Amino acid sequence: MDTKIVKKKSKLKFVLIGLAVMVIIPASSLYFIRQKKTYNVSAEDIQTDQVTHGKFEDMLMVTAQTQSLNSSLVNVLEGGVVKEIFAEDGAMLIKGQPIARVYNPNTEFNYMNQETGIMQQISQMRSTLLEMKNQEFAQDKELLQAQNDYNTALQNFNLQKRLYDAEIGKKTDYDISMQNLTYQKQRKSIVEKGFSTEKNSRNAQMSSVNTSIGQMEKSLQILRSNTNNFLITAPASGRLSSFNISLGENLTGGLSIGKIDLMDGYKLVAKVDEYYINKLHIGIKGTLDNNSKSDEVMITKILPEVKDGQFSAELTFTERKPENLKIGMTFGVKLKLSADTQSMMIPKGSFSKDTNGKWIFVVKGNQAEKRTISLGRENPLYYEVISGLKAGETVITSDYSDLKKYEILTIKK
């Protein structure tokens, strides 16, 4: 009996110990889970800035280069090897002035063969026309002969009839003249009908042949003018720019090898980071600083093609333009994206590329703690803070590449 009591007490003790262990293990696990990851950093390795509240200027600074207001591309019409160069980059040219000449023996040989073929076809068609003219002449001659024979038969018949009526002529002569008159009349009628039918058909054929000859001659003119495409000429009068080719260089048809600046005014072309592609639009105004003078400009065209992370925007002067402008000059341009507002701000820093502007380390004493934030607009100097920070707080704005996986930083001086 005592043995059973001892066994029950032992089992109860084992159960209580097990329950205690089960309670202790989750509690310790929860402690380690709740423990935030910390990291020691040197104050010299980080940069801190203060959150401020003030006027946020929604603007963008870009570098713009002057270009001709209007220009015309210089294109290669026929591909080939550069044989001669007649002009240099920056030269003033008049429309039609030679710029360069290319050489392509295969194309020239093909042109010669095509020209020979077209000329042979034209020659054959003209021979056909000549034959038709000869046929027309022969038919005219036959018609004239038939008419003459009929007139002769009619005169002879009238004579024989008068003699026969006067009882001087023979009846046989009268009958023969009548028979001949009937024959010549029928013959003349048949010749006239054939003449009319053949004339209409021949006129239609000659018209068709003449049309074909005209088309062939136009093709020949175009072909001959194409041989002039080996000579590259100025498409308009102006200054040659962006022109850089070398003797012996192989140029393909359709390639643009430069442009002619028409010198009828100037525009500004700015390269802008693709981040702003949905923020810029036609009509946005800005200012250009030049020798302590400010000139107003306005965006007139957006070129949405993104290349190397940038797109282009064209601007023109709205009022006065700077004096002594030249193509290729560069200016700093300040674009006003929207009206100024009173906002919370933090200076721009490298932290945003690692956090996408969604969180930041906020400094309190010798520690910095990770905090969720929301950023809005930006300008070259500041980010606009939408939520998560207060004026006067200090934040770390330097690079976060080594700090992303931590939640608390201990700052050592």
Side-chain angles (χ1 to χ4, degrees):
M1 191 72 176
D2 293 338
T3 304
K4 291 181 179 180
I5 293 173
V6 171
K7 288 182 178 180
K8 287 182 179 180
K9 288 182 178 181
S10 297
K11 289 181 178 180
L12 180 59
K13 183 177 180 181
F14 180 76
V15 171
L16 292 173
I17 292 172
L19 290 173
V21 170
M22 291 174 66
V23 171
I24 291 171
I25 291 175
S28 62
S29 298
L30 185 61
Y31 170 78
F32 287 111
I33 290 173
R34 290 179 178 175
Q35 190 74 11
K36 295 182 178 179
K37 292 183 178 181
T38 61
Y39 184 68
N40 295 331
V41 296
S42 172
E44 297 178 353
D45 296 334
I46 61 174
Q47 178 180 336
T48 59
D49 287 290
Q50 197 170 47
V51 182
T52 58
H53 186 273
K55 184 178 74 171
F56 180 82
E57 193 175 7
D58 189 16
M59 58 88 173
L60 169 66
M61 292 296 299
V62 296
T63 300
Q65 187 178 59
T66 55
Q67 293 185 9
S68 176
L69 183 61
N70 294 293
S71 60
S72 180
L73 292 177
V74 178
N75 294 324
V76 178
L77 299 179
E78 288 291 347
V81 176
V82 179
K83 187 177 181 180
E84 296 176 277
I85 299 176
F86 306 111
E88 295 181 351
D89 191 54
M92 293 298 297
L93 304 177
I94 60 174
K95 184 177 180 180
Q97 185 172 340
I99 298 176
R101 184 190 299 277
V102 298
Y103 175 66
N104 189 328
N106 292 331
T107 304
E108 288 190 7
F109 182 72
N110 289 335
Y111 280 162
M112 291 175 61
N113 285 340
Q114 291 178 43
E115 183 178 3
T116 301
I118 292 174
M119 292 178 67
Q120 287 177 348
Q121 292 182 52
I122 292 175
S123 179
Q124 292 173 359
M125 290 180 182
R126 284 177 175 165
S127 296
T128 302
L129 278 180
L130 183 59
E131 290 178 5
M132 291 181 180
K133 287 287 185 180
N134 290 333
Q135 290 174 5
E136 184 179 15
F137 177 74
Q139 197 170 22
D140 286 342
K141 186 177 179 181
E142 183 181 2
L143 179 62
L144 184 62
Q145 184 65 48
Q147 182 67 46
N148 184 66
D149 292 344
Y150 171 75
N151 292 337
T152 301
L154 180 60
Q155 291 175 358
N156 186 47
F157 169 76
N158 290 332
L159 176 61
Q160 294 299 328
K161 185 176 185 301
R162 285 196 300 271
L163 292 174
Y164 179 74
D165 290 342
E167 297 180 353
I168 299 173
K170 298 179 181 180
K171 187 175 187 307
T172 54
D173 292 337
Y174 172 74
D175 292 338
I176 291 173
S177 66
M178 182 183 294
Q179 182 180 0
N180 186 46
L181 178 62
T182 302
Y183 164 74
Q184 294 299 339
K185 184 177 181 180
Q186 292 176 349
R187 173 171 168 256
K188 185 173 80 73
S189 177
I190 292 173
V191 171
E192 287 175 345
K193 288 181 181 178
F195 177 84
S196 177
T197 302
E198 289 188 23
K199 184 177 182 180
N200 292 335
S201 176
R202 186 168 50 249
N203 287 340
Q205 290 179 8
M206 291 176 68
S207 176
S208 178
V209 172
N210 282 321
T211 300
S212 297
I213 290 176
Q215 292 175 344
M216 287 292 179
E217 288 177 339
K218 287 182 180 178
S219 298
L220 187 60
Q221 290 176 359
I222 293 172
L223 185 64
R224 287 172 175 170
S225 66
N226 284 344
T227 59
N228 296 328
N229 292 339
F230 292 111
L231 181 65
I232 303 171
T233 60
S237 297
R239 186 187 300 277
L240 179 63
S241 63
S242 303
F243 178 70
N244 183 23
I245 62 174
S246 304
L247 290 174
E249 184 177 349
N250 191 14
L251 304 178
T252 58
L255 177 69
S256 177
I257 58 172
K259 61 181 181 178
I260 300 293
D261 298 319
L262 304 187
M263 310 304 293
D264 56 351
Y266 297 93
K267 64 183 176 183
L268 297 169
V269 178
K271 297 291 186 181
V272 187
D273 189 277
E274 61 181 326
Y275 170 81
Y276 293 96
I277 196 165
N278 293 322
K279 298 179 181 293
L280 294 187
H281 56 82
I282 295 173
I284 285 182
K285 293 184 178 181
T287 54
L288 176 149
D289 294 326
N290 179 39
N291 297 328
S292 302
K293 295 181 180 179
S294 183
D295 299 295
E296 190 174 88
V297 295
M298 181 175 67
I299 294 179
T300 55
K301 190 175 183 180
I302 300 292
L303 305 175
E305 180 183 4
V306 176
K307 186 177 182 181
D308 298 327
Q310 294 181 316
F311 67 98
S312 297
E314 293 184 1
L315 308 94
T316 56
F317 297 96
T318 57
E319 298 177 357
R320 189 187 74 87
K321 66 180 180 181
E323 298 178 357
N324 301 320
L325 276 180
K326 294 181 181 179
I327 294 174
M329 297 177 68
T330 56
F331 299 94
V333 177
K334 179 180 177 182
L335 296 174
K336 197 76 171 177
L337 303 183
S338 63
D340 297 341
T341 58
Q342 292 294 318
S343 305
M344 208 79 68
M345 298 175 291
I346 55 174
K348 296 185 76 171
S350 304
F351 76 95
S352 62
K353 67 182 178 64
D354 297 307
T355 68
N356 292 322
K358 295 181 179 180
W359 60 273
I360 199 169
F361 280 112
V362 181
V363 179
K364 288 185 178 180
N366 66 340
Q367 285 192 330
E369 186 171 352
K370 181 177 180 180
R371 184 188 297 178
T372 299
I373 62 170
S374 176
L375 300 181
R377 299 169 296 175
E378 64 177 86
N379 62 30
L381 300 177
Y382 294 97
Y383 289 115
E384 180 186 33
V385 179
I386 304 300
S387 63
L389 294 173
K390 296 179 181 179
E393 290 186 306
T394 301
V395 294
I396 298 175
T397 55
S398 52
D399 186 78
Y400 279 18
S401 57
D402 296 329
L403 310 176
K404 290 186 289 186
K405 58 184 178 180
Y406 302 103
E407 295 180 331
I408 294 178
L409 304 179
T410 299
I411 304 172
K412 295 187 176 182
K413 297 183 180 180

